[in-house]
């Protein structure tokens, strides 16, 4: 048995209930076969077996009190996956679906994504099964403080630097950073996604969405195409989706969908700048439901269905698809319908939003398919820029950061294509992203010996 098959089998046996983690490991390792054949020294040093095992995974109790004085206990996680090329780095997710499998899959993906950014960052991820929906500000604050009361001992600016993810935005980062600062009596770059007044970087909130669109634009340009006058389907309506929508509008595309976990809206007249501002206010300030958009702008609202399901069932065409909500949101049936309706490009703002079967369909039909670890790397790349600014005790302008983000996304795109070609899979962004990210980390691991 090859080391790759052997490693996948071992993960499936040892982590048998961790479905998402197995999916991520299988997806990455299957594309690494040519690296194992070309670099026997990596096999000899056990790199493949070592890279699927986190450095450590911490699970902790998070007790907190609601506004009525009732005590609740949630489970907290931090998986420090790999710090071969820099401190552990990756977001914190607050969502009821969070468990060890989801945090491990995200942490594992993060290793390769961070390596692709060209910045010195290792891979990690954390979170809790806490559901922020319907909670008051005071409850969110008490939960964030309780979460940091344990997390603080595992992180540090040179050790592990968390950021936001689903359910964790500027408000939550503020509460967590405030508590860390209080108990450590230190103002350091221990979290990214901070507010501008206390060490944040301009463009960090925009970076994942902008970066995804920059990456899609690079893919389109390989076929002489761009966003102008293209119909674009975006899923989600959170941080990543909002700024993806904003950037697509600027690039001349027409966005016709967004969703949340309750409903999808289809606005065939296009979401323009004003409507995009409405979504931002609705989701970030009023914390409302996307169905309110349909009442405001008199468009279609499909309750209980996600974007890809709605496009499929109603036969709606999209030239470009940007899944920006959550993992496994887009299945084989959805992919089939997208392809049949003329979709030419899929760039993943979310992490692992397409199922393995959906990815196969995109690849078989020669769709420009940018996997999340490449397409959404702009977020963590700009977190890396925030860390640099914190270390230098200075801040760059909006234009400077945006320019660096654009350069990084172009260089990730280039690295993916070069590595895909080097390993015999020309034009395959999945192989390109996985092999390019992996080789950088693997070489560093090799240099350290067996540690
Ligand atoms: P947010 O919490 O800001 O937004 C998530 C959005 O997705 C919300 O609109 C949410 O709906 C919706 N959503 C969640 N689950 C479902 C579901 N099952 N069906 C339909 N819609 C759903 O998170 P982000 O925008 O930050 O993250 C989105 C994705 O991007 C995640 O996969 C994340 O890991 C990835 N990502 C994020 C980065 C970042 O910088 N924030 C960086 C790189 C990747 P509702 O409002 O109902 O909760």
């Amino acid at each position: 048995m090859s080391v790759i098959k052997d490693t996948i089998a071992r993960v499936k046996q040892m982590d048998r209930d961790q479905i998402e983690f197995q999916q991520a490991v299988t997806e990455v390792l299957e594309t690494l076969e040519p690296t194992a054949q070309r670099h026997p020294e990596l096999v000899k040093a056990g790199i493949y077996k070592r890279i699927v095992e986190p450095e450590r995974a911490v699970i902790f109790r998070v007790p907190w009190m609601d506004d009525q004085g009732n005590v609740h206990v949630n489970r907290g996680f931090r998986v420090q996956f790999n710090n071969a090329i820099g401190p552990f780095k990756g977001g914190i997710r607050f969502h009821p679906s969070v468990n060890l499998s989801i945090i491990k899959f995200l942490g594992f993906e993060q290793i390769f994504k961070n390596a692709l950014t060209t910045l010195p960052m290792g891979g990690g991820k954390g979170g809790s099964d806490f559901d922020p929906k319907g909670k008051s500000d005071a409850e969110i604050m008490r939960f964030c403080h309780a979460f940091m009361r344990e997390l603080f001992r595992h992180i540090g600016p040179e050790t592990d630097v968390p950021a936001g993810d689903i359910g964790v935005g500027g408000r939550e980062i503020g509460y967590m950073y405030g508590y860390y600062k209080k108990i450590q009596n230190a103002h350091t770059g221990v979290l990214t996604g901070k507010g501008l007044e206390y060490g944040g970087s301009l463009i960090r909130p925009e970076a994942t969405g902008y970066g995804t669109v920059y990456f899609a634009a690079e893919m389109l340009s390989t076929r002489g195409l761009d966003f102008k006058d293209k119909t674009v389907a975006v899923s989600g309506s959170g941080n990543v989706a909002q700024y993806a929508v904003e950037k697509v509008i600027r690039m001349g595309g027409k966005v016709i969908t967004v969703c949340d976990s309750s409903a999808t809206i289809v606005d065939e007249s296009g979401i323009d700048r004003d409507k995009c501002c409405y979504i931002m206010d609705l989701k970030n300030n009023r914390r409302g439901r996307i169905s309110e958009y349909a009442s405001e702008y008199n468009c279609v609202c499909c309750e209980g269905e996600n974007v890809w399901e709605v496009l499929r069932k109603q036969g709606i065409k999209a030239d470009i698809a940007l899944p920006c909500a959550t993992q496994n949101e887009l299945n084989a049936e959805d992919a089939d319908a997208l392809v049949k309706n003329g979709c030419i490009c899929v760039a993943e703002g979310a992490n692992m939003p397409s199922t393995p079967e959906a990815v196969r369909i995109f690849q078989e039909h020669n769709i420009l398919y940018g996997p999340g670890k490449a397409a959404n790397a702009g977020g963590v790349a700009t977190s890396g820029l925030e860390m640099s600014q914190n270390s230098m005790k200075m801040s760059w302008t909006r234009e400077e950061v945006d320019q660096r983000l654009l350069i990084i996304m172009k260089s990730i795109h280039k690295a993916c294509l070069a590595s895909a070609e080097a390993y015999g899979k020309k034009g395959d962004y999945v192989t390109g992203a996985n092999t390019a990210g992996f080789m950088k980390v693997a070489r560093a691991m090799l240099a350290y010996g067996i540690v």
Side-chain angles (χ1 to χ4, degrees):
M1 205 191 263
S2 79
V3 67
I4 299 290
K5 289 202 177 105
D6 193 29
T7 306
I8 295 173
R10 188 179 140 83
V11 166
K12 286 191 172 163
Q13 199 241 325
M14 298 228 337
D15 302 319
R16 95 185 40 164
D17 56 340
Q18 297 174 10
I19 304 302
E20 294 83 3
F21 178 56
Q22 291 178 19
Q23 183 183 334
V25 166
T26 307
E27 185 267 320
V28 171
L29 262 66
E30 278 179 346
T31 62
L32 297 183
E33 193 70 65
T35 63
Q37 283 164 13
R38 198 172 299 174
H39 306 282
E41 70 281 11
L42 300 182
V43 180
K44 187 156 177 262
I47 300 290
Y48 298 89
K49 287 184 214 153
R50 284 156 60 191
I51 208 159
V52 298
E53 203 61 55
E55 189 84 22
R56 67 186 61 81
V58 188
I59 301 181
F60 50 97
R61 177 176 66 220
V62 190
W64 60 281
M65 195 177 275
D66 68 20
D67 291 344
Q68 286 70 45
N70 304 307
V71 175
H72 301 264
V73 179
N74 283 94
R75 190 167 284 178
F77 300 87
R78 187 71 187 168
V79 173
Q80 298 181 331
F81 225 114
N82 189 300
N83 63 353
I85 62 166
F88 303 107
K89 178 94 196 89
I92 292 176
R93 176 176 291 192
F94 290 164
H95 193 272
S97 64
V98 163
N99 56 33
L100 187 58
S101 172
I102 289 191
I103 299 299
K104 279 179 71 180
F105 118 63
L106 290 163
F108 183 69
E109 288 277 297
Q110 199 82 42
I111 303 170
F112 310 102
K113 180 191 306 194
N114 293 3
L116 280 172
T117 64
T118 68
L119 302 172
M121 298 182 290
K125 200 84 187 186
S128 173
D129 59 354
F130 172 74
D131 187 357
K133 273 203 198 77
K135 304 290 189 299
S136 69
D137 265 357
E139 288 171 330
I140 297 285
M141 180 188 75
R142 285 196 291 274
F143 180 80
C144 290
H145 287 176
F147 187 81
M148 188 51 89
R149 202 172 298 141
E150 173 61 30
L151 185 69
F152 86 95
R153 67 186 86 249
H154 308 290
I155 61 176
E158 308 299 335
T159 313
D160 183 353
V161 184
D165 190 77
I166 291 180
V168 177
R171 174 181 60 166
E172 292 74 18
I173 293 287
Y175 290 144
M176 285 192 272
Y177 186 73
Y179 199 82
Y180 181 90
K181 183 179 71 58
K182 177 81 183 170
I183 55 181
Q184 293 287 57
N185 196 25
H187 215 306
T188 64
V190 70
L191 293 177
T192 57
K194 300 187 288 299
L196 289 179
E197 307 77 12
Y198 58 93
S201 172
L202 285 157
I203 300 286
R204 176 59 189 93
E206 294 89 338
T208 310
Y210 280 15
T212 302
V213 176
Y214 291 152
F215 192 87
E218 286 300 299
M219 291 199 294
L220 289 166
S221 74
T222 63
R223 296 192 185 165
L225 301 168
D226 58 27
F227 270 96
K228 188 130 191 27
D229 299 327
K230 301 289 184 306
T231 301
V232 183
V234 175
S235 65
S237 51
N239 172 266
V240 181
Q242 291 169 14
Y243 290 105
V245 170
E246 194 212 295
K247 188 54 87 175
V248 170
I249 297 168
R250 277 174 199 253
M251 290 195 165
K254 180 167 109 171
V255 180
I256 55 163
T257 61
V258 284
C259 74
D260 61 17
S261 50
S262 317
T264 288
I265 63 101
V266 183
D267 185 346
E268 303 234 33
S269 66
I271 299 173
D272 60 18
R273 274 179 179 219
D274 288 347
K275 292 173 178 175
C276 183
C277 290
Y278 173 88
I279 295 172
M280 289 180 179
D281 179 54
L282 173 71
K283 285 304 200 179
N284 307 343
N285 303 328
R286 293 191 280 131
R287 302 195 184 267
R289 308 309 297 158
I290 203 64
S291 51
E292 293 173 46
Y293 177 105
S295 318
E296 181 77 16
Y297 295 108
N298 194 22
C299 70
V300 173
C301 179
C302 306
E303 295 282 351
E305 289 180 332
N306 81 13
V307 165
W308 318 112
E309 229 175 326
V310 171
L311 294 190
R312 167 166 56 80
K313 289 185 178 163
Q314 302 196 12
I316 298 169
K317 172 188 160 67
D319 301 309
I320 298 166
L322 305 178
C324 298
T326 194
Q327 65 274 357
N328 292 327
E329 58 173 289
L330 197 164
N331 65 25
E333 269 185 294
D334 305 328
D336 222 24
L338 277 171
V339 171
K340 286 201 174 103
N341 286 323
C343 179
I344 47 173
C345 175
V346 179
E348 296 183 336
N351 285 311
M352 209 168 75
S354 312
T355 63
E357 299 75 28
V359 174
R360 255 189 295 282
I361 289 167
F362 294 141
Q363 291 177 322
E364 278 163 18
H365 290 84
N366 203 20
I367 304 296
L368 291 164
Y369 166 70
K373 69 172 74 63
N376 71 37
V380 72
T382 308
S383 277
L385 301 179
E386 183 174 331
M387 289 162 76
S388 306
Q389 293 169 78
N390 290 164
S391 303
M392 294 187 292
K393 309 256 184 262
M394 61 182 290
S395 34
W396 294 325
T397 64
R398 209 182 149 77
E399 290 68 32
E400 265 177 298
V401 181
D402 197 19
Q403 193 53 32
R404 284 175 201 262
L405 170 64
L406 178 62
I407 291 168
I408 289 172
M409 295 317 294
K410 280 175 183 270
S411 87
I412 293 174
H413 179 264
K414 211 167 148 190
C416 288
L417 285 186
S419 198
E421 189 162 3
Y423 287 102
K425 290 271 189 172
K426 194 170 175 195
D428 174 357
Y429 290 95
V430 177
T431 299
N434 290 342
T435 51
F438 169 77
M439 283 309 297
K440 183 169 178 191
V441 176
R443 285 197 185 98
M445 289 173 75
L446 199 60
Y448 299 140
I450 313 297
V451 287

